[in-house]
Amino acid sequence: MHNQAQGPIGIFDSGYGGLTIFREIVKQLPQYDYIYLGDNARVPYGIRSYETVYRYTLECVRHLFDMGCRLVILACNTASAKALRTIQQRDLPKLDPYRRVLGVIRPTTEIIGNLSQSGHVGILATAGTVKSESYVIEINKFFPQVKVFQEACPMWVPLVENNEHESDGANYFIQKHLNQLLTQSAEIDTIALACTHYPLLSSKISHFLPSHIKLLTQGEIVTQSLIQYLGHHPDLEERCSKKGEVAFYTTESTEDFDTKATIFLGHSVNSRHLEL
Ligand code: DGL
């Protein structure tokens, strides 16, 4: 009986970055209910160990389950790289085998090889995501012939979190990391922004990139993958409630969250505090 209950779709990120995924999902699937949870009190995850990212992520997933979510999307590359597999394989069977937790890496790695002509692709991400090698491993599963070049951009999340992403100061760090990526291979023709914060930098990134290089952001890719997933899992889809309601939770100050979320979403939000 319990397993038949309906609930919202949970969208989790270490902070605000997941809002770039959330906004695309809600745009294309407005009929569902959503709970967005940002662990702003403990951001950034990108610099933390496997153990810590796993522990923080699991704790937040549990809270989203407690709030009734049947499906949780880890809209954070770092959490997807360092925690998703263990949660799916070790924790979910014990917590509730009828609920699902999905990440943002697989949808990107499934298609990236089809978009590149040269077979040389670039990944821009946090230090944690790069070090995990998740993109290299996953892309090579789907496209064994594709060569993957990675660059960690540790200053990019702080630029966005501190509202400096449109400043002239941001240009230095954007150019630096793009140059470092492109010097690894002159043949790179497709680059994924493999951190959910980076779409806020995308106009500057495009400005500094040679025009033949395709830039992928994950919002649209993850949304398409979710649409397919729900289509293939009608039992789960039926358990996603559909009143078109959205709630925002943050583990930090709601005032800060509301101000910052407005930048990401283009409209005001009224978040609630979640005490961990
Ligand atoms: N949202 C995270 C990601 O996509 C980056 C922010 C962080 O370091 O916590 O990797």
Side-chain angles (χ1 to χ4, degrees), residues 13-18 42-47 75-79 104 125-126 129 157 161 194-198 218:
D13 182 47
S14 55
Y16 305 107
R42 302 187 295 195
V43 74
Y45 279 19
I47 52 163
C76 172
N77 285 275
T78 310
V104 289
T126 64
T129 300
V157 168
E161 291 279 330
C195 169
T196 51
H197 278 65
Y198 296 176
Q218 293 178 304

Side-chain angles (χ1 to χ4, degrees), residues 23-31 34 219-220 223-224 227:
R23 69 183 180 198
E24 284 305 318
I25 293 178
V26 174
K27 206 194 287 172
Q28 296 203 44
L29 298 168
Q31 67 273 33
Y34 298 94
E220 171 71 15
T223 304
Q224 285 311 319
I227 291 170

